[in-house]
Amino acid sequence: MTTTGYLAEDEIVLTPQQQQIVDNESEEQLVRGIAGSGKTLVLLKKAKKKAVKNAADAIMIFTYAKSLTNASQITMKRHGLGNLGVSTFHSWAMKVYGQVFSESFKLIMNADQANLVKRAIANTKVDHRFVTDEKYVEFLQKEISFIKGMEVRSMSEYAAVSRRGRGVGTRVTAADREIIYAIFWNYEELKGRNRDFDDFAYRLLDVKDRIPENAKLDHVFVDEAQDLQLSQIRLLKVCVRKSITIAADKGQKIYDTAFSWKEAGLNIQGGRTKILTESHRSTRQVIELAVSLQQHDSITQDEEYVVPVLPERSGPKPVLRRLDDRGHHDEAVIAMINEVLAASPSATIGVLYRSSQGWGHRLGGALKRKGIAYMDVRAKKDVDPFSPGVKFSTFHSAKGLEFDVVIIVDLVEPSVLPAEEDAAEFWDNERRLLYVAMTRAKSLLYMMTYERENRLLLEMDDSLYDIQ
């Protein structure tokens, strides 16, 4: 097998269009582009150029997940630029929050946050479906996040705010909003001095005049901005002195956020918006198959959706492997990893999965027993996901990453399916996550399924992959 090989950021020659974005000196700029079009690379190059040219300026690159933050930190560290940092939004916002509010707090998330929402619902003493039916717990948890993300601070504001981007699954009337807002306030009261991730931007914007100058930045570069909340973009805008550049792809949007860049206070009209339509990462065969899935997603009707241009680079067809059961599936994955490593020891192999119970994936233990080294991209701060070898990642954490070979495992039906009214929104989100996973592949893509095959596989054009 021939792999494309990894090139350091400073070794990659940009296309004329990418170079034009790097050289653009607009105070506010939007880069729209499909998966693999070089959005992250352009941000890194542009940030580095700013840091070299303006040694006294504070510059920050914001990435979507810790895995990409770690990789970008490793890349930028080689340049020895003390004025250039890389961070997730939440890590940075928590530090700023600590500078403004001299208070100790516990960060609540995951199961603890879900349990708090359940208590808030129980404390709302009304006869309403949102209160009496447990199936709405996840919806209400997301709606609480939406309220803070849209910087809503009163019932009148919530009554007026557009819920676009929240899907059409759960119908919400004006009367329903009053119940939801009562649950929101019960949640806030129960939370007390504790904080959730949505609190940092929400509370800092309420006291934005108290944000100290040493917490602000001169130049900001935001990757995967389509998954940030309105309040988060607004906070960054408040904290930037000179310029802000954001990169976004609606086709990879995996969170229920929807707002215009104008609402966020950004002026990206005309020449301030650049669009990258061609993937420089994946082969034509990989993109063609991924697009055949994406065409079933309602996001393709969004005005900011970028229609991909199929790349010129060609390669093998993606492969779908159907196994009898999980045991045979795991054996096949291990055999494939051994085969790739034997043929190309320097290859990067991404084993990607939708979700896991607890930390990591069961296949990690199987590889360890076989003496095959691997790393989880979320596990350590110094993990370089672009280094040769086997890397494990969830679909979420794989955003912004790339591998010579991608093996998508456990492509089976979810153990819990949504209610009928929420199904369309649920499956749109699943399509985008699978699209993200597929487009991490530079050369080879394998999709592994068994028993209850994931229905999204049936939406793909079966002429575009081989079956084994």
Side-chain angles (χ1 to χ4, degrees):
M1 181 193 72
T2 302
T3 59
T4 57
Y6 172 67
L7 292 175
E9 164 266 331
D10 51 357
E11 298 176 302
I12 299 175
V13 178
L14 300 180
T15 67
Q17 189 180 23
Q18 291 171 336
Q19 189 63 54
Q20 185 182 40
I21 295 170
V22 170
D23 294 337
N24 189 299
E25 294 292 335
S26 297
E27 292 180 2
E28 298 174 6
Q29 187 177 14
L30 169 65
V31 182
R32 290 164 48 197
I34 68 166
S37 59
K39 298 185 299 298
T40 301
L41 173 65
V42 164
L43 289 187
L44 293 176
K45 291 268 194 182
K46 193 174 178 74
K48 174 190 168 187
K49 181 179 179 181
K50 282 284 187 187
V52 171
K53 185 178 178 180
N54 306 281
D57 286 355
I59 300 168
M60 185 71 74
I61 302 169
F62 291 96
T63 63
Y64 166 76
K66 287 184 179 180
S67 51
L68 185 57
T69 297
N70 295 342
S72 300
Q73 286 173 338
I74 292 170
T75 298
M76 292 293 101
K77 193 174 181 180
R78 292 200 307 268
H79 301 303
L81 297 168
N83 61 333
L84 175 58
V86 185
S87 176
T88 62
F89 173 84
H90 291 312
S91 295
W92 169 81
M94 285 178 68
K95 291 177 183 177
V96 177
Y97 186 90
Q99 289 181 261
V100 174
F101 296 97
S102 56
E103 60 182 28
S104 59
F105 63 87
K106 175 187 176 184
L107 182 63
I108 57 170
M109 50 188 168
N110 304 328
D112 288 340
Q113 189 174 9
N115 288 333
L116 200 61
V117 172
K118 290 178 182 178
R119 289 175 58 198
I121 294 169
N123 285 358
T124 309
K125 306 296 184 181
V126 294
D127 184 15
H128 189 280
R129 73 187 194 280
F130 289 159
V131 176
T132 59
D133 194 335
E134 282 196 5
K135 75 177 184 180
Y136 291 109
V137 171
E138 184 179 357
F139 163 78
L140 290 166
Q141 185 171 347
K142 289 181 178 179
E143 193 72 4
I144 289 170
S145 177
F146 170 77
I147 288 171
K148 295 181 185 180
M150 294 300 290
E151 208 185 341
V152 169
R153 301 190 186 277
S154 68
M155 178 59 220
S156 60
E157 288 183 5
Y158 183 50
V161 73
S162 169
R163 296 184 71 260
R164 71 185 187 278
R166 285 290 287 126
V168 295
T170 300
R171 181 170 172 267
V172 176
T173 66
D176 292 335
R177 293 197 190 209
E178 293 186 8
I179 303 300
I180 293 170
Y181 205 72
I183 293 171
F184 165 70
W185 268 112
N186 286 337
Y187 170 83
E188 289 297 295
E189 287 184 359
L190 288 169
K191 183 162 59 66
R193 295 177 64 86
N194 297 328
R195 297 289 173 258
D196 59 39
F197 280 119
D198 300 313
D199 279 324
F200 302 117
Y202 187 69
R203 297 199 73 214
L204 283 168
L205 284 170
D206 201 31
V207 294
K208 56 189 176 186
D209 293 339
R210 287 170 50 191
I211 298 174
E213 281 301 308
N214 63 5
K216 296 183 179 181
L217 301 160
D218 293 297
H219 306 280
V220 163
F221 301 85
V222 188
D223 202 7
E224 306 289 1
Q226 74 276 355
D227 283 319
L228 287 184
Q229 297 175 328
L230 174 62
S231 61
Q232 294 168 346
I233 297 288
R234 282 177 173 171
L235 180 61
L236 290 173
K237 185 70 167 60
V238 165
C239 291
V240 70
R241 296 189 188 95
K242 297 180 180 179
S243 74
I244 180 169
T245 302
I246 58 178
D249 175 17
K250 283 293 183 72
Q252 298 183 73
K253 173 177 153 51
I254 60 175
Y255 287 110
D256 298 330
T257 60
F259 55 86
S260 68
W261 303 117
K262 184 178 180 180
E263 285 178 290
L266 297 172
N267 178 13
I268 41 79
Q269 300 299 312
R272 295 185 176 195
T273 293
K274 301 296 181 183
I275 303 175
L276 300 172
T277 60
E278 184 175 349
S279 174
H280 302 285
R281 172 192 299 140
S282 305
T283 62
R284 183 184 189 89
Q285 287 74 13
V286 169
I287 295 298
E288 205 166 17
L289 182 62
V291 169
S292 78
L293 171 66
Q294 191 179 55
Q295 293 313 302
H296 296 272
D297 187 348
S298 64
I299 200 70
T300 57
Q301 305 305 311
D302 190 284
E303 63 180 10
E304 285 197 15
Y305 169 72
V306 177
V307 179
V309 173
L310 296 179
E312 295 182 5
R313 188 166 68 89
S314 188
K317 274 187 177 183
V319 171
L320 172 63
R321 294 199 64 180
R322 293 188 171 107
L323 287 305
D324 292 335
D325 51 43
R326 193 169 80 172
H328 286 95
H329 164 278
D330 292 0
E331 290 174 3
V333 172
I334 292 170
M336 291 167 62
I337 291 172
N338 274 324
E339 183 181 337
V340 172
L341 291 175
S344 300
S346 62
T348 56
I349 304 171
V351 179
L352 309 185
Y353 51 97
R354 172 64 179 88
S355 59
S356 62
Q357 298 299 318
W359 184 262
H361 191 278
R362 66 175 188 281
L363 275 165
L367 288 183
K368 189 174 182 180
R369 290 190 293 274
K370 295 286 186 180
I372 302 173
Y374 75 94
M375 290 187 286
D376 189 309
V377 300
R378 303 171 299 162
K380 297 179 181 177
K381 192 171 183 178
D382 59 349
V383 169
D384 183 356
F386 300 122
S387 62
V390 181
K391 308 295 187 304
F392 277 70
S393 175
T394 61
F395 292 176
H396 286 85
S397 292
K399 289 190 77 173
L401 305 182
E402 60 184 37
F403 308 92
D404 293 315
V405 181
V406 163
I407 305 173
I408 303 177
V409 300
D410 292 330
L411 274 174
V412 295
E413 282 287 274
S415 56
V416 178
L417 291 171
E420 184 177 352
E421 62 181 326
D422 298 322
E425 180 181 352
F426 174 86
W427 287 109
D428 265 352
N429 188 62
E430 292 299 305
R431 286 184 192 97
R432 287 169 213 159
L433 283 167
L434 183 52
Y435 173 84
V436 166
M438 295 169 72
T439 54
R440 302 310 95 192
K442 295 166 71 175
S443 297
L444 299 177
L445 171 63
Y446 295 97
M447 301 176 294
M448 312 291 288
T449 187
Y450 56 92
E451 296 173 357
R452 295 168 54 248
E453 184 172 313
N454 191 299
R455 69 187 69 184
L456 296 183
L457 293 170
L458 301 176
E459 295 183 356
M460 299 179 195
D461 185 340
D462 60 9
S463 70
L464 299 176
Y465 60 79
D466 291 329
I467 299 176
Q468 294 182 3

